[in-house]
C-alpha cells in the first residue's frame, strides 16, 4: 500500500470526495426551494442506506456483523451525527446561505478536538489551541457578516450551523468507540440506517406540505444521496487507504473553498470581503490545529454519514463527511479510526 502523498489516483479520489461534499450545501439550498429540510434528509439518507446495503451485499468479503452492543452504539451515534446534525444543517442552510455553511463547517474538526479534550482528556498542544482560537475568530467574522447582510434569519441560521458542529463532534467521539474493530463500510451503513429512521420520523412534521417534487428537485436529492453520501464515502476511503491521513486532511481543507465556489456558481450568492476574510482565517486555524494530528483521520464535513462533513471526514452526509455524513458529511465523512 502506497503511503505519504499517494498516487495520482488516490489524490484525485480524495479531491473528488471533497468536491462532492462541498457541493452539498449549494445543492441542498436549491432543493429547499421545493422540498422541506426534514423531508430532504429523509429522502437522502433512506436512499443512501439502501445503496450502502446493496454495496455490502455485493461485496464478496462481507464485513462481520457488529454485536448487539456495538449496533446499539452505532445507532445512537448515527442518530446524533445524521438526524440531529443534518436537521441543524438543513434548517441552518435554509435560513442562511450555502457560502456561510461551507465556511462554518470548516470549524468542525476543531470542535471535535475540543470535545476530545473534555471527554477523553486528550492533550492539546499550543498549535492546536492557537488553531482553535483562529478558527473561532474566523467563524465570528462569518456570522457577523451574515447578521449585517441577512438580518436575524441569516444570523440564526449561522448559529444553527455552529450548533451542528457540536452534534458532529459528539458523533465522532461516540462513533470512535462504537466502531472499534469494525469495517468502515459496515459502520457507515448502520449509522446511516439509524439516521434515515430518525429523519423519516422527523419528516412527518412536514407531512402537511408534502407534494411530488419536480424533476430538478428529485435529481438534486438523488445527487445528494449518490454522490455526496455514498460516492464521497467510497472515494475518500479509496484514497485514504493509499496515502497518509495527514495528506488527506490537508486535501479536505479544499472543502470550504469548493463550497464557496459552488454557492457563487449554483446559487448566485455574493461574497463580502469580511466573509472571505473569515473563511481564510478559519482555514488557517484548521490547518494549524491539524499539524500535530497528521497520524489520524479528521472528522469530515460531509460524512457518509459524511456528516458535508464526511466517513471519517462530514458533509457532511451520510455520512462530512460530513457533515459526507455519512461518513464523516457536511458531509461528508465516520469515525476517523474506523475508516482507516
Amino acid at each position: 500500500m502506497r503511503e505519504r502523498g499517494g498516487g495520482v489516483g488516490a489524490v484525485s479520489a480524495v479531491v473528488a470526495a471533497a468536491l462532492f461534499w462541498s457541493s452539498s450545501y449549494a445543492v441542498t439550498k436549491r432543493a429547499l426551494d421545493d422540498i422541506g429540510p426534514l423531508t430532504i434528509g429523509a429522502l437522502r439518507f433512506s436512499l443512501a442506506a439502501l445503496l450502502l446495503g446493496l454495496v455490502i451485499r455485493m461485496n464478496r468479503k462481507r464485513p462481520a456483523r457488529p454485536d448487539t452492543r456495538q449496533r446499539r452504539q452505532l445507532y445512537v451515534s448515527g442518530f446524533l451525527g445524521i438526524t440531529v446534525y443534518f436537521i441543524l444543517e438543513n434548517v441552518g442552510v435554509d435560513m442562511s446561505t450555502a457560502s456561510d455553511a461551507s465556511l462554518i463547517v470548516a470549524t468542525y474538526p476543531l470542535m471535535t478536538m475540543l470535545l476530545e479534550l473534555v471527554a477523553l482528556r486528550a492533550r492539546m498542544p499550543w498549535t492546536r489551541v492557537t488553531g482553535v482560537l483562529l478558527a473561532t475568530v474566523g467563524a465570528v467574522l462569518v456570522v457577523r457578516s451574515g447578521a449585517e447582510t441577512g438580518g436575524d434569519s441569516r444570523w440564526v441560521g449561522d448559529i444553527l450551523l455552529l450548533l451542528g458542529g457540536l452534534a458532529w463532534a459528539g458523533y465522532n467521539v461516540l462513533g470512535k468507540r462504537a466502531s472499534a474493530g469494525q469495517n468502515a463500510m459496515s459502520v457507515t451503513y448502520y449509522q446511516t440506517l439509524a439516521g434515515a429512521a430518525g429523519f423519516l420520523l422527523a419528516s412527518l412534521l412536514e407531512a402537511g406540505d408534502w407534494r411530488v417534487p419536480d424533476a430538478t428537485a428529485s435529481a438534486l436529492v438523488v445527487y445528494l444521496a449518490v454522490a455526496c453520501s455514498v460516492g464521497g464515502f467510497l472515494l475518500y476511503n479509496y484514497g485514504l487507504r493509499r496515502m497518509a491521513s495527514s495528506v488527506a486532511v490537508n486535501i479536505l481543507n479544499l472543502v470550504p473553498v469548493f463550497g464557496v465556489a459552488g454557492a457563487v456558481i449554483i446559487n448566485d450568492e455574493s461574497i463580502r470581503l469580511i466573509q472571505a476574510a473569515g473563511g481564510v482565517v478559519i482555514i488557517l486555524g484548521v490547518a494549524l490545529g491539524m499539524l500535530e494530528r497528521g497520524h489520524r483521520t479528521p472528522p469530515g464535513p460531509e460524512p457518509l454519514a459524511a456528516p458535508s462533513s464526511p466517513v471519517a471526514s462530514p458533509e457532511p452526509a451520510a455520512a462530512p463527511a460530513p457533515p459526507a455524513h455519512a461518513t464523516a458529511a457536511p458531509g461528508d465523512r465516520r469515525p476517523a479510526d474506523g475508516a482507516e
Side-chain angles (χ1 to χ4, degrees), residues 121-132:
R121 297 182 181 179
R123 183 177 63 89
M124 182 173 285
W126 70 268
T127 51
R128 196 172 304 171
V129 173
T130 305
V132 169

Side-chain angles (χ1 to χ4, degrees), residues 230-322:
V230 179
F233 166 77
L234 295 175
L235 286 167
Y236 182 80
N237 279 280
Y238 171 85
L240 189 61
R241 287 195 298 269
R242 292 163 176 80
M243 67 172 64
S245 59
S246 57
V247 177
V249 171
N250 287 331
I251 293 175
L252 289 181
N253 284 328
L254 292 171
V255 167
V257 179
F258 288 160
V260 170
V264 173
I265 296 171
I266 298 174
N267 303 112
D268 197 27
E269 294 181 6
S270 59
I271 307 299
R272 300 182 69 206
L273 181 59
I274 186 173
Q275 185 183 12
V280 171
V281 173
I282 287 173
I283 294 172
L284 290 175
V286 171
L288 184 60
M290 290 294 180
L291 284 179
E292 298 192 26
R293 283 175 64 89
H295 62 291
R296 297 175 66 182
T297 306
E302 219 348 311
L304 221 195
S308 127
S309 290
V311 177
S313 151
E315 162 342 351

